[in-house]
Amino acid sequence: MKSLSVWFGLLALLMIFPAMAADVDALVQWSRRTELTTPVSGVVASVAVNAGERATKGQLLLALDDAPFRAAVQEAEALLARRKSERDEAARDAKQAQELYDRTVLSTVELENAKMKHARTDAGYKEAAAALDRARYRLRVSALRAPFDAVVLSRHAEPGQSVAAEFKPPVLLVIAAAGEYLAQARLATERVAGLKVGQALSVVAGGKNYAATIKALAHEPAGGKEPYVIEAQFTAAEPLYAGQAARIQLP
């Protein structure tokens, strides 16, 4: 009986060993970690979030003083209205010139001059319309909004701070996708065989098992015997943290 129990114990170990051998140590990383800055220069008027807080997609995170941007939009709108009036007037003159030319009252030179004036004013109108689009864009991007549901990792801006986007724009906020994580590990070449991006597997982190998919399989030699980096993406309702230990259960 004793020998039989030992045999069953060895059998159990043999059954468990392949599953254990398919596991690799990993670390939890943030998914979609994004550094946010403004593409326009200005002065920070408000910062609506702090590190550790969550934000929903579209939520205002930070805003520059928008007074100069609103003024630029108003100037561009006024210029566009003036250019439209000039274009409409030139269009009427060109139409009238064509009618007079058809009745042999106007010379060819006068008709061509009217058409050229119309073309110039039309180009001026389009240029003013483009300037208004740029002004509206600058106003829109003077405020940072969450591009997706996110957790704020760090805050590097305070009201009154100047932002110079013409040079190297400073990072104002760092965010990551809320509830989305990566388990990252290094693999030896022989363990990559049969793996592919999008393939399903499991990740164990914080004592829980999560369904995951392979997001990336990168070849990044680092002088060791594990030249590949695997990233498994998964979601978790409970908060996890970058650097937290995990295990990837390979298929």
Side-chain angles (χ1 to χ4, degrees):
M1 291 295 294
K2 183 176 181 181
S3 60
L4 186 61
S5 61
V6 171
W7 185 86
F8 277 115
L10 290 173
L11 181 62
L13 288 174
L14 289 173
M15 293 175 65
I16 294 172
F17 182 75
M20 294 178 60
D23 290 0
V24 290
D25 291 329
L27 293 177
V28 174
Q29 301 292 351
W30 302 113
S31 177
R32 288 194 282 172
R33 183 183 182 279
T34 306
E35 297 180 346
L36 300 180
T37 188
T38 61
V40 293
S41 299
V43 177
V44 176
S46 62
V47 184
V49 291
N50 289 307
E53 294 181 347
R54 291 203 171 198
T56 57
K57 182 178 179 180
Q59 179 180 332
L60 178 66
L61 304 178
L62 177 148
L64 300 182
D65 180 3
D66 65 0
F69 302 106
R70 291 188 180 279
V73 169
Q74 292 175 352
E75 291 176 359
E77 289 174 341
L79 178 61
L80 182 63
R82 185 162 64 251
R83 293 288 184 262
K84 183 179 184 301
S85 178
E86 294 171 353
R87 184 194 64 173
D88 293 346
E89 181 182 357
R92 289 193 298 270
D93 291 346
K95 181 179 179 181
Q96 185 179 27
Q98 184 65 56
E99 292 172 351
L100 293 174
Y101 178 80
D102 293 341
R103 289 155 43 190
T104 69
V105 176
L106 205 66
S107 69
T108 302
V109 173
E110 290 172 314
L111 175 62
E112 291 301 319
N113 286 341
K115 289 182 177 180
M116 289 177 61
K117 180 181 178 182
H118 181 219
R120 287 196 302 271
T121 55
D122 184 59
Y125 172 80
K126 292 177 180 177
E127 184 179 5
L132 177 58
D133 287 342
R134 288 194 298 271
R136 286 174 173 168
Y137 167 78
R138 291 173 64 82
L139 173 61
R140 185 172 69 254
V141 298
S142 68
L144 291 178
R145 296 184 178 276
F148 43 75
D149 291 346
V151 57
V152 180
L153 302 184
S154 59
R155 165 177 165 167
H156 308 282
E158 295 297 334
Q161 178 179 334
S162 295
V163 178
E166 289 81 4
F167 303 101
K168 184 179 180 181
V171 174
L172 303 177
L173 295 167
V174 181
I175 64 172
E180 293 183 16
Y181 301 94
L182 297 175
Q184 190 178 80
R186 299 198 71 91
L187 295 178
T189 303
E190 58 271 16
R191 305 194 75 175
V192 176
L195 300 180
K196 60 182 179 180
V197 173
Q199 188 172 0
L201 40 69
S202 297
V203 169
V204 178
K208 292 188 177 182
N209 192 295
Y210 301 95
T213 56
I214 299 177
K215 181 182 179 181
L217 275 172
H219 185 251
E220 298 180 4
K225 296 181 180 180
E226 300 175 327
Y228 285 88
V229 174
I230 183 174
E231 290 184 348
Q233 187 173 40
F234 64 99
T235 60
E238 52 283 336
L240 300 175
Y241 304 95
Q244 184 174 341
R247 290 186 68 79
I248 297 176
Q249 297 178 333
L250 299 178

